[in-house]
Amino acid sequence: VNKHAYIGRVRLPIQTATGAPVYGEGTASKKKDAQVAAALDACRLLDAQGMLREHQHEKGAGRKSRPKDDDFYDSDEDSFLDRTGTAEKKRQKRMDKAAAAKKGKSGDGVLTHELLTKKLADICSELHEAESKLDKAVAAEKVRT
């Protein structure tokens, strides 16, 4: 160790298998650099133990909606000075587009009994069509062989 070298040491909230405390250590010619090196070593040790980033969960799992996401006003449009109403029409189109996209992605639309019955009937008819096509294909294959 150099005559003018500083040693930085940071005690970590973990212990070894024998119960001894763990330290992050760093050496440098300046005191501040030694502290930074010790902090970096401490971060490496904590990351190796899985304690540094344990608070990070799935991406976007706890994401709350931001007010900007629900703000449909364009910064260039001013409804006060708009005499023709085009700014309000554009805003309404943006709101409708966002609502349609949200409804399509998450399927939050209200499903009534009539709507569910209609969907069931459509799916059953598609299923019967597919089964009849399959039966025809199987019969055609039997004829070939």
Side-chain angles (χ1 to χ4, degrees):
V1 176
N2 193 350
K3 184 178 176 182
H4 297 284
Y6 291 92
I7 299 172
R9 208 168 172 200
V10 178
R11 184 175 181 183
L12 302 177
I14 55 176
Q15 297 176 350
T16 63
T18 60
V22 177
Y23 293 94
E25 297 179 341
T27 308
S29 61
K30 295 181 182 177
K31 189 174 187 178
K32 186 72 174 178
D33 292 342
Q35 291 172 343
V36 170
L40 180 63
D41 187 44
C43 288
R44 283 188 191 130
L45 291 171
L46 288 174
D47 191 35
Q49 294 292 320
M51 296 180 67
L52 187 62
R53 299 181 207 166
E54 67 184 8
H55 67 279
Q56 290 183 346
H57 301 289
E58 284 186 30
K59 189 175 185 180
R63 182 177 176 257
K64 296 180 182 176
S65 68
R66 295 173 289 193
K68 268 193 163 185
D69 292 343
D70 299 328
D71 184 18
F72 299 103
Y73 291 98
D74 190 6
S75 61
D76 295 337
E77 297 173 356
D78 186 4
S79 60
F80 181 75
L81 297 175
D82 181 33
R83 305 276 181 205
T84 61
T86 56
E88 189 62 30
K89 289 177 187 174
K90 287 181 182 178
R91 180 177 162 270
Q92 187 63 39
K93 283 183 183 177
R94 283 194 295 274
M95 288 173 61
D96 294 341
K97 188 176 180 183
K102 191 174 188 180
K103 190 175 184 180
K105 283 183 184 175
S106 61
D108 290 339
V110 177
L111 298 176
T112 62
H113 182 265
E114 293 83 22
L115 184 60
L116 289 172
T117 307
K118 183 180 180 295
K119 282 186 175 183
L120 178 62
D122 293 343
I123 291 172
C124 285
S125 66
E126 288 179 23
L127 178 63
H128 290 303
E129 288 175 18
E131 285 177 342
S132 65
K133 285 182 183 179
L134 180 63
D135 290 339
K136 288 178 185 177
V138 168
E141 187 65 32
K142 285 183 180 179
V143 170
R144 289 183 192 168
T145 57

